[in-house]
Amino acid sequence: MTLYGKALESRLPDSLLVDHFADEAVLKIDYDFSRLKVDTNLGVGLAIRAKTLDVRVQDFLARNPDAIVLHLGCGLDTRIFRVDPPQGVDWFDVDYPEVIELRRKLYPSRDHCHLVASSVTEPGWLAQVPRNRPAIVVAEGLTPYLPADEGPRLFARLVSHLASGELMFDAYSRFGLKLLRLNPTIKATGAQVHWAIDDPHELELAIPKLRFVEDISAYKPEHAARMGWSAKLFIRLWRHIPALRKVGRLLRYRF
């Protein structure tokens, strides 16, 4: 779903992502993507979210050129090619073995990119990750699909293992999960959503090493202008109604 949305957005003349790898991957995969009901509005929304995270990763790497990047639940996202990290960075793409196998078929290998074939909630894979370097952890489109008790445990393991760094992910309120369950595209995938975060400070209480930094606004007016009228209306309401802003947002922490 997210791969196809980013591919659609990258075909637009004013594309934010210009993600040629995503577009080429869609053409290589023998699958009827139309069954996912992904439209241009969703594609633009996914691209805005991805670009917002990409910029934060690039900023972190500019300040920490010897860092490591943990891309959790990477799916078929091509963030490493969009960010194009410097040579001193070690990048870890983590997902289920069948996803990693497909990544190997679709994308070229790259120095210092480590493909980790494991569920993110399995503790063992972290043994491959250095402990003594600054790290940025990115989880895009992952947290709502985690069991509510597994999410905090995963983040606690990460901050215990890593020396220092940042954690960024998209989170949804309880109301946001209800809307996701009604979304025709989510329904078409058969995916289930479980973990809601109503208050970003909840994680600070559960994981004392985490410090909440910001609630990132992904939808800037100039980006929303590229969407259809219904999406523009929702974003206008989203910007002015606090309860709607909590439906889905990008959260950033330090540890």
Side-chain angles (χ1 to χ4, degrees), residues 166-207:
E166 295 185 5
L167 167 65
M168 297 189 302
F169 58 94
D170 53 322
Y172 296 82
S173 65
R174 288 176 177 83
F175 180 53
L177 290 193
K178 290 180 180 178
L179 293 180
L180 282 180
R181 293 184 183 111
L182 296 174
N183 184 297
T185 304
I186 299 291
K187 290 171 73 172
T189 68
Q192 300 294 315
V193 291
H194 309 284
W195 186 23
I197 300 175
D198 285 314
D199 181 353
H201 295 286
E202 293 173 13
L203 276 178
E204 289 179 316
L205 296 175
I207 308 167

Side-chain angles (χ1 to χ4, degrees), residues 60-116:
F60 184 88
L61 297 182
R63 291 181 279 115
N64 301 276
D66 62 336
I68 60 174
V69 178
L70 299 187
H71 190 195
L72 304 184
C74 61
L76 298 177
D77 184 79
T78 62
R79 174 159 285 117
I80 188 169
F81 300 107
R82 298 194 305 266
V83 169
D84 192 23
Q87 283 294 309
V89 170
D90 276 291
W91 188 292
F92 294 82
D93 277 327
V94 187
D95 214 314
Y96 291 114
E98 58 269 33
V99 177
I100 296 300
E101 181 182 355
L102 184 54
R103 287 188 70 90
R104 293 186 191 278
K105 295 176 181 177
L106 291 172
Y107 304 132
S109 60
R110 183 178 171 120
D111 291 342
H112 305 289
C113 178
H114 312 273
L115 300 179
V116 182

Side-chain angles (χ1 to χ4, degrees), residues 16-34:
L16 271 177
L17 287 188
V18 196
D19 194 338
H20 300 306
F21 283 102
D23 195 14
E24 291 168 7
V26 164
L27 297 175
K28 292 176 184 176
I29 296 172
D30 182 16
Y31 181 78
D32 179 12
F33 284 93
S34 66

